Amino acid sequence: MGKIIRSFFWMGSVLLLSCNSNSVYSDYQALSNSWNKEKSVDFTFQPPDTVQPYNMFIHLRNDESYKFSNLFLIVNLNFPDGRVIADTLEYEMARPDGEWLGQGITDLKESKLWYRENVVFPVSGDYTVSVKHAMREVGEVEGIGELEGITDVGIEITKPEKK
């Protein structure tokens, strides 16, 4: 039953994203049972042009088995010419009372998180965004080997809203 609900939620999300006329790229990857700390989720795309600025978002889906109120990510933006911009990001996933911040009417919640604003892709070619989790237990040096509860990772690139 859970897989059916998840499938309907995923199809609905794709339909909603496809209705966004500002979206120029959107993709999701499902994670099997957990997210290994060594496994990056990679998205390769070609931006439409090398002049216009774009906004970039990371989409995350989590279920009730995610046991943290935040999420640390390491995100690399790899340029066709070999340059890399690396970011360590922290996102709030739940309020202090435990209520999830993501959207959704089932136990699966989706969060749309800012990654970069007004990004210009100055070089033609393939760009890759690589996303890894960087979660660890409080007081522990080693990261969590298998992070449970994050079910899908996505990326969206949009044209900025006209004012």
Side-chain angles (χ1 to χ4, degrees):
M1 181 70 166
K3 287 188 179 214
I4 294 171
I5 291 172
R6 186 173 168 188
S7 295
F8 280 116
F9 181 80
W10 186 84
M11 287 187 297
S13 295
V14 169
L15 287 174
L16 286 174
L17 287 175
S18 65
C19 295
N20 181 353
S21 62
N22 288 338
S23 184
V24 297
Y25 176 82
S26 180
D27 192 16
Y28 276 90
Q29 291 187 33
L31 301 174
S32 57
N33 303 323
S34 63
W35 189 359
N36 183 287
K37 73 176 184 174
E38 301 300 325
K39 182 184 180 321
S40 66
V41 181
D42 300 331
F43 302 92
T44 300
F45 61 94
Q46 290 188 351
D49 62 55
T50 59
V51 178
Q52 180 173 326
Y54 296 93
N55 293 328
M56 300 178 74
F57 299 91
I58 294 173
H59 289 263
L60 296 170
R61 293 187 186 121
N62 69 284
D63 61 24
E64 295 293 325
S65 67
Y66 189 71
K67 64 181 186 175
F68 301 97
S69 63
N70 66 344
L71 177 67
F72 284 93
L73 298 175
I74 297 172
V75 183
N76 290 333
L77 175 58
N78 301 283
F79 289 71
D81 62 6
R83 286 185 298 145
V84 177
I85 297 174
D87 292 297
T88 301
L89 308 169
E90 179 185 12
Y91 295 108
E92 190 175 2
M93 301 293 286
R95 291 188 171 87
D97 65 2
E99 179 184 352
W100 294 114
L101 294 173
Q103 303 294 311
I105 57 174
T106 66
D107 66 343
L108 191 64
K109 302 298 181 193
E110 179 165 357
S111 298
K112 181 178 181 179
L113 310 167
W114 274 101
Y115 167 44
R116 292 194 153 269
E117 185 175 19
N118 293 320
V119 176
V120 175
F121 300 102
V123 180
S124 295
D126 288 341
Y127 287 76
T128 301
V129 173
S130 298
V131 183
K132 290 174 98 172
H133 84 78
M135 293 298 292
R136 62 192 77 234
E137 297 281 352
V138 174
E140 294 293 323
V141 175
E142 290 297 315
I144 295 172
E146 296 292 334
L147 182 64
E148 295 181 358
I150 302 295
T151 62
D152 303 271
V153 178
I155 190 165
E156 181 182 16
I157 301 169
T158 64
K159 297 177 189 175
E161 295 286 326
K162 301 224 188 247
K163 296 182 184 194

